[in-house]
Amino acid sequence: SPSLKILNLNSNRFIGAIGWRAFSTCFQSLALEELDLSMTRIDDEADLANTLANMPTLKSLKLTGIESITATGWIAFSAVLSNPNSALKKLDLSINTIGD
């Protein structure tokens, strides 16, 4: 539904890169404001940063406990944070192994 504002996929351990890419194609028709992808198996191959960059209405993002994203993926994700068109106001990255 185009009126969907909140999507919680928390603890869906079966969502990995392939599932995320399939899911993300429908996000372009939504005006999501809150997204929770905590405890999923999303990894660098999911191209999370690219999808999030195309979600200008997203205000709250929760990515806790995603162990499969490497430093490379987090660096790509940082571009989302510097996007001047982003509406993001709340970000939760707790319980991650963000390294350099």
Side-chain angles (χ1 to χ4, degrees):
S1 166
S3 62
L4 183 68
K5 301 289 183 203
I6 300 170
L7 181 59
N8 185 341
L9 297 171
N10 186 330
S11 299
N12 281 282
R13 301 300 273 169
F14 296 107
I15 298 176
I18 294 169
W20 170 252
R21 283 193 299 270
F23 240 124
S24 67
T25 59
C26 74
F27 290 152
Q28 295 171 354
S29 63
L30 300 176
L32 281 180
E33 294 179 4
E34 295 182 29
L35 179 61
D36 186 347
L37 297 172
S38 300
M39 308 300 287
T40 58
R41 291 182 314 127
I42 291 172
D43 59 17
D44 296 350
E45 291 181 33
D47 199 12
L48 179 63
N50 186 48
T51 302
L52 295 173
N54 292 306
M55 297 176 71
T57 58
L58 191 65
K59 295 178 182 176
S60 176
L61 178 62
K62 191 169 183 180
L63 299 171
T64 63
I66 302 180
E67 300 169 355
S68 48
I69 297 178
T70 68
T72 302
W74 290 117
I75 290 168
F77 174 75
S78 69
V80 173
L81 300 177
S82 61
N83 181 346
N85 297 320
S86 174
L88 200 60
K89 302 288 182 214
K90 183 178 178 184
L91 176 63
D92 186 347
L93 298 175
S94 58
I95 316 171
N96 282 300
T97 54
I98 300 173
D100 54 346

